[in-house]
Amino acid sequence: MNDYLIEQFASAAEKLGLKRADLPEIRIEKPRDASHGDAASNLAMVLRSQLGGNPREIAGKLLDGISWDPQRVASAEIAGPGFINIRFASDWLTKSLEQMIQKGDSIGKTRKREGERILVEFVSANPTGPLTVGHGRNAVLGDTVARLFEWTGADVDREYYFNNAGRQMRVLGQSVQARYRQQLGEEAELPEGGYEGEYIGEIASKLIEESGNSLRDSEDETPFRKRAEQEIFQEIQSTLERMGIRMDHYFNEHDLYEDGSIEKTVSDLREKGLVYDEDGAVWFRTTQFGKDKDTVLIKSSGEPTYRLPDIAYHCNKLNRGYDTCIDIFGADHIDTYPDVMNAVGALGLNADRVDVLVYQFVTIVKEGVPFKMSTRKANFVTLDELMDEVGADVTRFFFLMRSPSTHLEFDIARAKEDGEKNPVFYLQYAHARIQSILRNVQETHSLDDESDLSLLTHENELELIKRMLEFQGTIESAASSMEPHRLINYLNELASAFTSFYHDCRIIGEEPELTQVRAQLAATVARILANGLTILGIDAPDRM
C-alpha cells in the first residue's frame, strides 16, 4: 500500500508543477492514534518551502489531483496543520490477507534487494579466549542483520575476520607454556599481561596428556600458541553453532601480509602523499581529513597498528565485488573506523559501499549488581555460560530487544523468568497458543478449505489484518536501518492485536463459516510470528 500511496502523492505533486526528481522523500507513517486513520503523510508541510502558502491549502491541492482507487482507499482527509490522513478500504484488507495466505511460509519475503551482494563481517574475535558476553551482542546483531537482508532478497555472505599472530597471540602461547610447566611441578610465572582463565590450564593439561613432558625444555612458545589457537577456535565455532550462527568465510589477517596487501597499501598511500616517516615510525596524514593529529600506521618497532591491516582488509572486501560491506563494531571503534574509511576512499575505492553498525556495550546484571568482565583476569562470563544459564533463544532475544545504539543491561533474573513475563516467552507462547487453538479447530474443520474472507468485518479483525500487513514493511525497514529490535517491537504489537481479537471474536463455537475464516486468520498470524522469530534466530514452538 505504501508504494501505491507514494506514487499517488508524487503524481499529484507533479501536477502542481514540481519535478519528480526534486521531490523530498515522501513518508507514509502510521498515526499514533488509530482514530486518525490507517496511514498519514506530512508531504504538504514538507512542500511548503517549494510551493509556498498554507500547508492545509497545499494538502487540499494534492488531494484534488488524486483519484483514489476505491478498492484500496476508503477516504483521505486533511487534519491538523496539514497532515493527510488515509483510511484503507475493507476490500483491500481482505484481498491483501488473501495474498498473504497464498504466500504461506514465505510471508514477509521480498525481492527488493534481489541481485544485491552483501558481506556482513562480525564477531571477528582473535582466538585468545572463549567468546564472552561482550562478543555476544556483536554475534547476534551480525547474524540477524544478515537474515533480514536475506529476507529482502539479497545474496548475503557472513565473514569472520581474525588474527592469529602478533603480541596477543605470543602472550597466549607464553601463558599456556607457563601453566604447562607449573603442572609439571616446575616454577614458572605468567608473562606480563598474561591470560589467567581456567581454559589456559585446560589447554596445558591436554598437551601433557598427549605429549607428556616432551616440551618441558622448549624455549619457543610456538607449539603452545598453535595448540591454544586450535582449541580456542574450535570452541568459538562450537559456541556460534550453538547460537545458530554459521560463517561462510573465515579471513585471516596474516594472509594480507603473505599476499603483499599490507606492503601495497602503505606504498599506495605513500604515492598519494598520505604516508610519511618520522621518529622511526610510519604515519598516516589523518590531519588532512580533519583530525587534530596524524596517526601511526607502523610503530618504530616495526609492528603495524591495527588500522593498517584494517585498511588493507577493507580494500580486499570491496575488490571482491560486493555491493555493500557491513561492519559490526563495538563503541570502542567509533573514533577509529573513520580513519580506515578515509584511507579506503583515498585509495580510489568507494567507501560509501561500507556500512558500519556501531553498537553499545553489554553489562551483565546479577542480583541487581553489574558484573565486570576481563578476559585476561578470567572474571568474565562466556557466551556458553550465559546460554547454560538462560538458554540460546533467550540469549539471542535479549541481545536484540534494544536498539544497538543503546547500552544493554542483560538482567539474568529477568531472563530466567518463566511464563509470559519473559519477553521472548511472550512471543513463543503466542505462537504456541494459536497452534493449540488450530488443533482444536481441526477436529471439526479443515484449514485447507477456502474461506470467505469478506466475513471478517469486526473492528478487531480488521485491526489485526492491518497489523499483519505491516510485517513486510517492518522487515524492510529493520534491514535498511540495521535495527532488529524494530522487528521485535512489531511482533509484540501483533501478539497484542491477536489477544484483543481473540478476546472479542470467538473462533470455536461460532457458525462453521465464521469459525473457518477466523481460524484461517489465526493461522496466518501464527505464520507471521514463526517467520519473525525465524529471522531473529529463535524457535517458534507449537507447544509450551
Side-chain angles (χ1 to χ4, degrees), residues 4 31 85 98 133 146 181 225 232 243 273 276 283 408 479 499 537:
Y4 169 75
N85 291 343
E98 182 179 5
V133 171
R181 288 175 173 172
R225 172 177 51 80
I232 292 170
M243 299 186 77
Y276 65 94
W283 295 75
L408 176 65
T499 299

Side-chain angles (χ1 to χ4, degrees), residues 95 158 258 293 329 482:
K95 287 181 180 179
R158 295 161 173 81
E258 290 292 313
K293 297 180 180 179
F329 285 151
M482 297 190 290

Side-chain angles (χ1 to χ4, degrees), residues 453-470:
L453 300 180
S454 65
L455 295 174
L456 298 172
T457 58
H458 191 282
E459 178 183 358
N460 285 349
E461 292 170 337
L462 298 179
E463 284 301 314
L464 180 58
I465 295 172
K466 292 173 187 177
R467 286 286 179 270
M468 295 162 68
L469 293 176
E470 295 169 8

Side-chain angles (χ1 to χ4, degrees), residues 445-493:
H445 296 74
S446 172
L447 296 182
D448 295 329
D449 295 340
E450 292 188 6
S451 304
D452 184 1
L453 300 180
S454 65
L455 295 174
L456 298 172
T457 58
H458 191 282
E459 178 183 358
N460 285 349
E461 292 170 337
L462 298 179
E463 284 301 314
L464 180 58
I465 295 172
K466 292 173 187 177
R467 286 286 179 270
M468 295 162 68
L469 293 176
E470 295 169 8
F471 182 49
Q472 179 176 309
T474 299
I475 293 173
E476 291 178 350
S477 67
S480 297
S481 63
M482 297 190 290
E483 294 181 325
H485 72 284
R486 294 190 183 195
L487 178 56
I488 289 178
N489 294 341
Y490 165 78
L491 294 177
N492 284 327
E493 292 175 0

